[in-house]
Structures are given as C-alpha cells and as structure tokens.
Amino acid sequence: MTGTWLENPAITAELLPALGETLAMTAWSTAISVLLGLPLGIWLFVTTPHSLAPNRVLHGVLSTIVDIGRSIPFIVLMVAIIPFTRLLVGTALGWKAAVVALTLSAVPFYARLVENALHDISSGTIEAAQMMGATRRQIIRQVLIPEALPALIGAATVTAIALVGYTAMAGAVGGGGLGDLAIAYGYNRYQGDVMIACIVLLVIVVGIIQIVGDRLARFVDHR
C-alpha cells in the first residue's frame, strides 16, 4: 500500500472514471427498467382477478415470468446471457455490457413493485372513474398512474439503489465501475485504501439517490 491516498494511482487516476461508469450503469439500467417495467406492472395489475381486464391465464403467465426473472441471482444471470450481451452490444465486458444484465434483472423487480403500488389505490377511486364513463386507457393514464405516482417514484428509487449494488457485483465479471476497481485493487492487490474509497463513494451515491427520490415523491404527492 502507498503512504497516502493521494499517492495511489488507482485512486488519483482511476477512481473518478470508475465512479462515472457506475453512475452510467445505474442511470441507463434504471431508466430502461422503468420504461419497460411500468407497462409490465400495469399489465400485471390490469389482468388481476376483479381488476379492469381480468385474465387469470395471462396474469398467471406474466406473474410466473416475473417471479422467475426475480429469482435468478444477478451474477448467474450476467454470466448466462454473455452470448446475448455480446450479440447486443458487441462485447461481454465493460459497463455497457453490464447494463444488459442489470436491466434484465431489474425489469421484473420494478414491475412487481408497480403492481403492488397500483393495488394500494382505493377501489372506490377506480369505480368512480368507471361510473363516469372513463375507458380503460383513460383510467390507467388519468387515475392509476397519477394516484400511484409517489409510490412509483419510490419504487424507482428502490430499484436504482438495488442496481447500485448490482453494479458492484458486475465488477466481479468485468463489468467495470467501482466494483471492478475495488476487486482489482482492493481485493486482488490488497490495497485497503482503494476498497475504502470505493465503499465510501457507493454509500454516497446510494444516499443521494435516496434523498432525490424521497423529495421527488413528496413533490408529486398532493394528497
């Protein structure tokens, strides 16, 4: 180990680029997961028995797919889809490749949170919209999403924080970011200062995401 943190090239030259990769992985995978997970979660809710368009078979299929997606450990998933990742982004290494596995892991996670958030909406609110002649699409856009928006933002916050942890695990298989840096220097080369710096930055990132998510959820909550 070097005498001081500022004398360690792994910290002075590689820490900020690794942080940038972690932020990029988290931002891209969270955005895509919300974009894909929101309609999937709405679909799960809508096909639930006694919902807007009950379909027991379709709901069972979707629910099973979501549960399987949530049950696969991230490291296993990332390794298993290497051929697909290479086909999609041209490589199986780096933060761009990690985004593929991160997204596939987070979409079912967020979709289930969306479904739970929609179930918390009062059935009376939905029935009132139906009595006023609102169509299914209008109920989804003008009732369900606005009513559940604070919870949906909270779910996105939880998903983003989980993805920060996944990005660290992605470093174990060449995913880049702070996790990769911590393993390459902090673990393999016994540089404890690098490990501590990576942990501190990850904690700060998680804290910032939580604060921003909480404030945004309160801002849109007009109840």
Side-chain angles (χ1 to χ4, degrees), residues 1-5 7-8 185-186 189-194 196:
M1 291 178 57
T2 55
T4 66
W5 287 27
E7 294 175 359
N8 190 335
Y185 289 92
R189 303 184 187 182
Y190 306 103
Q191 296 184 12
D193 51 350
V194 178
I196 293 173

Side-chain angles (χ1 to χ4, degrees), residues 43-130:
W43 207 2
L44 281 167
F45 171 78
V46 167
T47 56
T48 303
H50 309 297
S51 189
L52 298 177
N55 189 322
R56 189 178 299 274
V57 174
L58 180 57
H59 179 78
V61 171
L62 292 175
S63 185
T64 300
I65 292 173
V66 167
D67 288 341
I68 291 174
R70 294 172 60 204
S71 65
I72 302 175
F74 174 72
I75 290 293
V76 175
L77 175 66
M78 190 169 183
V79 174
I81 65 169
I82 283 178
F84 174 71
T85 301
R86 187 178 289 114
L87 177 66
L88 199 62
V89 298
T91 179
L93 299 175
W95 72 267
K96 292 181 180 179
V99 167
V100 178
L102 289 167
T103 301
L104 289 178
S105 179
V107 166
F109 179 77
Y110 183 68
R112 188 62 80 185
L113 293 179
V114 169
E115 182 192 15
N116 292 336
L118 295 177
H119 276 300
D120 288 337
I121 298 176
S122 171
S123 59
T125 302
I126 301 175
E127 292 172 358
Q130 290 175 322

Side-chain angles (χ1 to χ4, degrees), residues 22 26 74 102 159-171 179 202 206:
T22 292
T26 303
F74 174 72
L102 289 167
T159 302
I161 290 174
L163 285 170
V164 172
Y166 288 165
T167 64
M169 287 188 285
L202 287 171
V206 168

